[in-house]
Amino acid sequence: MPVMTSPDRARTVRPRRHRILGLLAAGAAAALLAACGGNETVPLQPVATGRPPSYYPAEYSSVIEASKKEGGTLTIYSNTDQENWTPVLRDFKRKYPWVKKVSAGNLDSDEVFQRVLSEQATGGSPADLLVSNAAQAWADFAGRDGTLLEYESPEVSKLPEFGRLLPGVHAMSVDPLAIVYNGALLEEDLTGLGRLADLAAKDPDKYRDRITARDVEGSFGFTVSHAFTKARPGAWAHLGALLPMARPETSSGTQLEKITSGEYVAGFFINAAPAYPVVERSGGLLKLAFPSEGTVVLPRGIGIAAGAPHKATAKLFVDFLLSDEGQRAVAEGGLTAYRDGVRAGGGRHTYQELVGEVGAGNVIVTEYAEVAEGEVDAFLGRWNGLLAR
């Protein structure tokens, strides 16, 4: 199958404050992602064509009318794959049929912001919307003057608190981070990092260099690992046992490939979005579990560029994406929806499904906020000091 980049990718960058325009690092193959959303034929869901939900304010009709005059096009700069976008764009155009063309390019998570900033500095950008789960890059971008439209969707009251990540930035979906392991090499069920650390301590020859952790020198690895240790400082005891036996990788796709081949027994902090379909297609070889110590969830943010050429249509898109109709399409596309009422199953996954499995108190939602450079340095020094490399 042709090689393609996963939604979990980005260039590997040292996550210092002045360079952190991309907190999602990784590259994964299309073979790992082709089944996102499941292989089954999903019947088209009903959409209310041309009509917003009944709880929208009456003046919302002016947004719809303005959109009809914008030419029926929309441009999205995102780090999200076409497999994930397909049902979302399909249903958005069904709902607002005068929108004929939506371009959703697949960029590195830091490139989403860098491109818009560069274009804005030279006279204007064609971007209407930005989509990325680069948390600190979003905080940096939103903090600059004249970059982001401060729009609050009428859907916010229907969403969990983290649905509004920053002024003008909403959560499109959430990505939970999992443990994945080879069931032929590890027959017992893993319940968390503590259990994996215990097994490695009892049989070090089996696990030495055969555990994979996410490279914290990359932006994705830093973000999720830092969020975990900040929320669960006691877990450093488990990491102190695991990291000396671990090898870092910069991609969930690479981790999944090497766990499947048996090069690794297990890996942790692996993005569940590409992992779900790979596990399903493995015939029981691969197993997926969420750490009992705490499961990190990384929201995927969406915001409207301040200079968006199609502002009204961009607002319609954000509101649709956060609606019940839009969140069902998000789940169908293989990402994890988070709005109440979206049904999991058949290759579709939800935040509520995760909470039901691990408990609300064990979910760690990553904040969209910059980390001070001194804190970055301290974390990198401690983590990398434990790695046997």
Side-chain angles (χ1 to χ4, degrees):
M1 299 182 69
V3 174
M4 190 174 195
T5 306
S6 86
D8 151 70
R9 66 157 172 128
R11 291 183 304 161
T12 300
V13 295
R14 183 169 176 81
R16 294 187 179 276
R17 186 170 184 174
H18 61 287
R19 297 179 60 190
I20 193 120
L21 286 179
L23 300 184
L24 262 233
L32 302 178
L33 287 171
C36 276
N39 289 321
E40 65 188 72
T41 300
V42 180
L44 289 178
Q45 63 172 337
V47 296
T49 302
R51 302 196 316 274
S54 59
Y55 49 85
Y56 278 33
E59 58 268 24
Y60 196 81
S61 60
S62 65
V63 180
I64 293 176
E65 293 306 311
S67 171
K68 291 178 180 179
K69 300 174 183 178
E70 289 183 335
T73 64
L74 194 67
T75 300
I76 305 170
Y77 286 5
S78 88
N79 71 332
T80 305
D81 274 329
Q82 292 304 308
E83 288 87 354
N84 306 121
W85 278 125
T86 296
V88 175
L89 303 186
R90 176 201 68 203
D91 287 352
F92 176 68
K93 289 187 282 189
R94 288 172 61 216
K95 186 170 184 66
Y96 298 113
W98 60 86
V99 182
K100 301 296 184 182
K101 181 181 179 181
V102 181
S103 171
N106 189 358
L107 308 171
D108 286 349
S109 56
D110 60 343
E111 188 181 1
V112 168
F113 304 97
Q114 291 173 346
R115 181 173 293 190
V116 171
L117 290 171
S118 176
E119 291 169 345
Q120 288 178 344
T122 56
S125 171
D128 295 301
L129 292 153
L130 293 80
V131 173
S132 175
N133 33 14
Q136 290 196 69
W138 263 122
D140 175 85
F141 186 80
R144 297 169 182 252
D145 292 334
T147 56
L148 186 66
L149 187 71
E150 290 196 17
Y151 177 66
E152 180 163 302
S153 171
E155 294 289 351
V156 166
S157 64
K158 306 291 183 180
L159 303 174
E161 185 176 351
F162 62 79
R164 183 178 181 273
L165 299 166
L166 290 167
V169 184
H170 301 82
M172 167 181 170
S173 62
V174 294
D175 293 332
L177 283 301
I179 298 172
V180 178
Y181 56 101
N182 188 312
L185 302 174
L186 182 56
E187 296 182 358
E188 74 168 76
D189 292 338
L190 279 182
T191 56
L193 297 183
R195 183 55 185 153
L196 180 59
D198 289 343
L199 293 171
K202 292 178 182 177
D203 193 354
D205 290 338
K206 176 179 179 178
Y207 291 93
R208 187 174 293 109
D209 292 330
R210 299 188 71 194
I211 297 170
T212 176
R214 199 53 178 262
D215 188 353
V216 295
E217 293 288 344
S219 49
F220 179 92
F222 169 78
T223 302
V224 299
S225 303
H226 176 264
F228 176 75
T229 56
K230 185 175 181 179
R232 300 289 189 272
W236 277 109
H238 304 320
L239 293 169
L242 290 172
L243 290 177
M245 298 189 177
R247 288 160 52 191
E249 299 286 354
T250 60
S251 156
S252 289
T254 301
Q255 290 176 309
L256 290 165
E257 290 171 356
K258 292 184 177 182
I259 296 169
T260 301
S261 70
E263 181 174 341
Y264 292 132
V265 176
F268 56 93
F269 299 159
I270 296 176
N271 192 340
Y276 281 133
V278 179
V279 171
E280 289 175 7
R281 295 200 319 272
S282 72
L285 175 66
L286 296 186
K287 308 288 185 180
L288 183 149
F290 295 110
S292 57
E293 297 84 4
T295 297
V296 176
V297 166
L298 185 62
R300 187 176 298 265
I302 182 169
I304 302 173
H310 312 101
K311 284 187 174 65
T313 306
K315 291 177 182 179
L316 293 184
F317 188 83
V318 169
D319 299 336
F320 167 76
L321 194 63
L322 304 180
S323 71
D324 182 72
E325 294 170 342
Q327 286 287 291
R328 280 184 276 154
V330 164
E332 183 184 335
L335 299 178
T336 299
Y338 67 96
R339 183 186 172 111
D340 283 337
V342 178
R343 183 177 299 177
R348 297 176 295 276
H349 297 279
T350 69
Y351 173 77
Q352 290 73 23
E353 172 193 35
L354 175 68
V355 170
E357 183 171 345
V358 305
N362 283 330
V363 175
I364 303 165
V365 180
T366 306
E367 296 180 357
Y368 271 39
E370 288 190 285
V371 179
E373 187 166 356
E375 188 174 346
V376 171
D377 289 339
F379 173 83
L380 291 177
R382 185 172 185 180
W383 184 283
N384 288 333
L386 292 169
L387 282 172
R389 64 172 180 176

